[in-house]
Amino acid sequence: MRVLVVGSGGREHALAWALSRSPDVERLLVAPGNGGTAAIAQNLPIAASDVEALAAAAQAHRVDLVVVGPEEPLARGLADVLWERGVPVFGPTAVAARIESSKAWAKELMAAAGVPTARAERYQEISLALRALDAHTYPLVVKASGLAAGKGAVICADRSEAERTLRWMMQEGGLGEAGREVLIEEYLTGREVSFLVVTDGETTYPLIPACDYKRIGEGDTGPNTGGMGAYAPVPWVDDATQGEIMERVIGPALGELRRRGIRYRGVLYAGLMLTAEGPKVLEFNCRFGDPETQAILPLLACDLLPLLSAAATGKLAEVPSPTWRPGVCVTVVIASAGYPGTYRTGYPISGLDRIPDDVLVFHAGTRLERDGTLVTAGGRVLALSATGHDFQSARQRVYAALELIEFEGMTYRRDIAAREVEPRTIPVAR
Ligand code: AMP
Ligand code: GLY
């Protein structure tokens, strides 16, 4: 098969890497890709947001399957356009992608389906939103309804912070169109987990649960980022909890979509808080997680291609559910100094040739210069993943490899998956 992966991050490198190992992938294209995908696939210089050009390229290259990484092209209708042209695509249509692109719509869907989630009110008028603040207890969460690249949720400790956040989103346009409508949401406590399933709308296979680290700083401090690390599976999400998530969250959500005539094909990603009252949804995403994918796929024991291809074409029941290698995987993201704020790019990256074979290097913001030098080209630059029979050994491997890499201003969190290691064995090399 000829496969086109859309996107340019670590997630897309991991997807391309897993697909490149399939005996049935005859040609692998990535648009636009990065310095890492260039080594295992052909990069096409097309932006992930350019729906028309992507569809034209899929046709020109006679692609049999398009796998869409990021949410933006899905929200813009890339899957719809590809289906119109007869190109199978793994990823939901624009209407189905609203489960991520409109948090207000997702809340309404969850209410109709009886999916447990944080209580929320939606506002399009700032005066009404401000008035509502008086009746609330704190902390509370102010969320932009639209797509905000991970920056749309602000946990507000008190009324003045909530007011500032509302004014920033609704009045000052701090998040552009995405913040014109907001949710004021109940603050949930518990343990957070990313639960991803592959579905064709009828048949649904869960992937192993994962945890990601959203804050830039160790100990979960500082601003939110796209994700600074991840690990999988999650020891405290046992089979019974996974069953409960399938039964109370995933099943009802997909069922409600079906009732509305929407056939969801792709990954449905539930960001969950496991509370004292059971799992509650923080958000749905319409795609694979980044960097969860870099921690999940190294543990996949079967071929990824049939899974994605069957889900795209509505034949998921015809392929077996995914199988997994024993053990765990820990992924650490290396970022540019200044990220998630402003940062500089173009710094040469060294040491990749010294990374041992048992550590996977997924590129995110990298670019291969004409002279063959690999340079930084984004905020999140690389993600390193190592598997191991337990978290201690996987952490040891990944952090030892991180020591070998160098570029100006590189930064990473040293505490990824540390909480899964017993206190007597903190093996972090500093
Ligand atoms: P989101 O953009 O909705 O994924 O939110 C980003 C992060 O904010 C989540 O990963 C949580 O850590 C946190 N968060 C979002 N909503 C809530 C909530 N209702 N209660 C507590 N924390 C939340
Ligand atoms: N890691 C969070 C996300 O992909 O949305």
Side-chain angles (χ1 to χ4, degrees), residues 311-335:
T313 52
K315 296 179 181 149
L316 195 55
E318 294 173 23
V319 304
S321 60
T323 51
W324 303 96
R325 292 169 46 193
V328 306
C329 185
V330 175
T331 300
V332 180
V333 169
I334 313 179

Side-chain angles (χ1 to χ4, degrees), residues 11 71 100 150 194 212-214 225-227 269 283 285 287-292 380:
R11 165 184 52 205
E71 63 279 11
E100 175 169 0
S194 303
D212 77 336
Y213 288 77
K214 291 209 170 68
T225 68
Y269 164 149
E283 62 162 353
N285 293 320
R287 49 162 177 85
F288 282 100
D290 188 342
E292 289 94 327
R380 290 192 290 174

Side-chain angles (χ1 to χ4, degrees), residues 69-385:
E71 63 279 11
E72 194 196 341
L74 294 167
R76 285 175 182 251
L78 176 59
D80 307 69
V81 174
L82 288 167
W83 282 120
E84 276 162 26
R85 304 194 188 172
V87 183
V89 49
F90 182 84
T93 57
V95 166
R98 290 179 75 190
I99 203 156
E100 175 169 0
S101 65
S102 168
K103 287 188 191 270
W105 190 82
K107 280 286 181 198
E108 189 270 311
L109 183 100
M110 285 187 264
V115 172
T117 181
R119 275 194 308 276
E121 306 131 35
R122 67 197 268 199
Y123 295 97
Q124 288 165 338
E125 291 268 351
I126 186 154
S127 57
L128 297 179
L130 288 173
R131 203 174 310 154
L133 293 183
D134 297 326
H136 268 279
T137 53
Y138 291 85
L140 58 69
V141 187
V142 173
K143 280 190 188 180
S145 182
L147 291 181
K151 286 179 269 175
V154 181
I155 294 162
C156 303
D158 52 36
R159 195 192 181 287
S160 72
E161 194 179 358
E163 175 166 347
R164 239 182 302 127
T165 306
L166 285 174
R167 290 195 189 282
W168 176 66
M169 284 187 191
M170 301 184 86
Q171 226 163 29
E172 294 153 28
L175 293 172
E177 275 299 294
R180 249 173 26 114
E181 183 174 40
V182 301
L183 300 180
I184 296 180
E185 191 170 285
E186 165 198 20
Y187 177 76
L188 297 177
T189 52
R191 295 220 223 184
E192 212 177 318
V193 62
S194 303
F195 194 84
L196 284 68
V197 302
V198 168
T199 182
D200 64 2
E202 295 282 347
T203 302
T204 302
Y205 294 145
L207 305 180
I208 48 174
C211 280
D212 77 336
Y213 288 77
K214 291 209 170 68
R215 305 290 190 107
I216 186 73
E218 281 161 33
D220 295 326
T221 52
N224 272 331
T225 68
M228 292 302 292
Y231 63 86
V234 184
W236 35 270
V237 183
D238 58 14
D239 288 348
T241 308
Q242 292 185 46
E244 190 186 2
I245 295 167
M246 289 298 284
E247 206 167 293
R248 294 180 59 186
V249 174
I250 303 293
L254 290 170
E256 179 61 25
L257 287 166
R258 271 197 304 275
R259 260 191 295 285
R260 298 179 181 201
I262 300 168
R263 180 118 194 222
Y264 193 103
R265 290 169 171 177
V267 163
L268 180 61
Y269 164 149
L272 299 167
M273 191 71 88
L274 303 187
T275 72
E277 292 139 36
K280 292 191 181 180
V281 174
L282 295 174
E283 62 162 353
F284 279 119
N285 293 320
C286 64
R287 49 162 177 85
F288 282 100
D290 188 342
E292 289 94 327
T293 305
Q294 294 92 305
I296 291 172
L297 291 183
L299 293 170
L300 188 71
C302 61
D303 188 346
L304 180 64
L305 179 71
L307 202 63
L308 303 190
S309 170
T313 52
K315 296 179 181 149
L316 195 55
E318 294 173 23
V319 304
S321 60
T323 51
W324 303 96
R325 292 169 46 193
V328 306
C329 185
V330 175
T331 300
V332 180
V333 169
I334 313 179
S336 300
Y339 175 78
T342 52
Y343 53 82
R344 297 175 62 174
T345 60
Y347 296 116
I349 303 167
S350 68
L352 289 184
D353 49 340
R354 295 166 61 204
I355 301 294
D357 287 344
D358 58 1
V359 175
L360 295 161
V361 179
F362 297 120
H363 294 228
T366 73
R367 189 177 62 240
L368 203 53
E369 302 282 54
R370 270 176 206 283
D371 65 2
T373 324
L374 188 73
V375 299
T376 63
R380 290 192 290 174
V381 177
L382 297 165
L384 265 57
S385 295

